[in-house]
Amino acid sequence: MAATPVKQTPNTPTETVEARFHRFAAAWHRDTDYLSSMEAADRHPAYQEIIGLGVEVVPLLLRDLAENHTHWFTALEAITGAQPISAADAGNIPRMADAWLRWAKDNGYRW
Amino acid sequence: MVRPLEEMFPRLAGSGYRVTSPRDGDYNCIAWAAGDTHLWWWPGQDVVKEYWPAGVPRERTRDAFIAAFASLGYTLCEGEAQEAGYEKVAVFEDADGRPTHAARQLPNGLWSSKLGRAEDIEHKLHDLEGALYGSVMLIMKRPIPHG
């Protein structure tokens, strides 16, 4: 499926990280919500743009993960270098989310 | 915002399909076809993110998907028509022969699909065919478990 261009609105100095996150996340949802492969969804250009926002976006990812179980696992791993999910919990999205939220709390993140 | 269903799956328009669940990112189509609403099933290479049955190759191939459903007692069968005493699943593949989606047959003869991180729908089997999911390429069946 063709990905929706995500840079039609150029990043501007006045656009906050939160606004950019929401813009990229909307494009990602629009193009990947019907896919079953996490890897395919994670390769989407908008998802990669979110990873590129760096550590500043982590609280936004954690909030969305906590509230909606949105699949930010790969982004969190790419940005933080951590991988707190146990192999026994593979595919159990609530437990995967809990593992990341526990790790984030233990490492001083607030969201 | 997610694309409207009928934009992604044009054959659904006017087909009488029905949305049967809210959006839910905790399980996907393969899980739903397998009767599991607690796990996300896919043969991804990262073994901590997606569930895949133990002993089944973690590869996006027809054989791996056949083996995954075989682990639940399904065997390949010829047709999609209802058969008394059996339940059926259908696997969709893209033009490269790589699985994209699975659906399961309902007692009323229609099919039920979980659409990625989105909703479950009740639909006619071939109405999800198209650019995103490709075509139905195989059907498997198993005796309906008692009790």
Side-chain angles (χ1 to χ4, degrees):
Chain A
M1 172 180 42
T4 303
V6 292
K7 289 188 173 176
Q8 287 177 333
T9 304
N11 299 331
T12 66
T14 56
E15 189 180 28
T16 64
V17 166
E18 182 165 3
R20 293 167 72 188
F21 165 69
H22 287 302
R23 177 160 59 88
F24 294 139
W28 178 70
H29 278 292
R30 179 178 169 83
D31 284 349
T32 70
D33 271 4
Y34 296 126
L35 300 181
S36 268
S37 165
M38 281 193 200
E39 288 173 353
D42 296 350
R43 283 195 299 268
H44 189 278
Y47 197 95
Q48 296 301 312
E49 292 278 5
I50 287 169
I51 291 173
L53 295 175
V55 70
E56 276 189 80
V57 81
V58 168
L60 301 171
L61 300 178
L62 294 169
R63 188 183 310 156
D64 196 23
L65 181 64
E67 292 177 356
N68 303 307
H69 289 181
T70 307
H71 297 185
W72 298 125
F73 308 112
T74 297
L76 287 166
E77 182 179 353
I79 295 169
T80 67
Q83 176 45 283
I85 302 168
S86 158
D89 289 336
N92 188 320
I93 304 297
R95 288 189 185 176
M96 292 164 66
D98 285 347
W100 267 107
L101 296 171
R102 275 197 308 275
W103 176 89
K105 189 173 179 183
D106 291 346
N107 285 272
Y109 287 96
R110 297 291 177 263
W111 57 91
Chain B
M1 190 59 64
V2 68
R3 292 179 197 268
L5 270 175
E6 294 171 21
E7 179 183 335
M8 296 304 297
F9 305 102
R11 292 188 185 188
L12 288 177
S15 70
Y17 78 94
R18 205 162 59 89
V19 175
T20 52
S21 83
R23 298 166 55 78
D24 189 332
D26 286 356
Y27 64 99
N28 65 348
C29 61
I30 310 301
W32 179 245
D36 181 354
T37 57
H38 295 96
L39 294 172
W40 188 276
W41 290 45
W42 196 258
Q45 295 308 299
D46 190 337
V47 298
V48 302
K49 291 200 180 78
E50 294 164 309
Y51 170 79
W52 196 240
V56 177
R58 291 187 77 98
E59 56 188 32
R60 193 177 157 203
T61 63
R62 183 183 299 183
D63 285 348
F65 278 69
I66 289 171
F69 283 108
S71 74
L72 301 172
Y74 285 92
T75 57
L76 286 169
C77 66
E78 287 298 320
E80 64 198 60
Q82 268 189 300
E83 290 184 49
Y86 288 90
E87 56 188 2
K88 294 188 174 184
V89 295
V91 176
F92 292 62
E93 292 179 358
D94 65 18
D96 297 323
R98 301 197 309 162
T100 57
H101 178 70
R104 63 179 162 92
Q105 195 172 43
L106 296 168
N108 63 8
L110 293 173
W111 293 74
S112 181
S113 283
K114 174 68 162 60
L115 305 175
R117 300 187 301 271
E119 304 92 341
D120 305 343
I121 67 167
E122 181 179 298
H123 61 95
K124 295 171 188 162
L125 181 58
H126 295 278
D127 286 346
L128 288 183
E129 291 183 333
L132 189 59
Y133 288 168
S135 303
V136 175
M137 293 306 289
L138 63 93
I139 307 285
M140 299 180 76
K141 70 177 182 181
R142 70 176 178 185
I144 295 173
H146 293 291

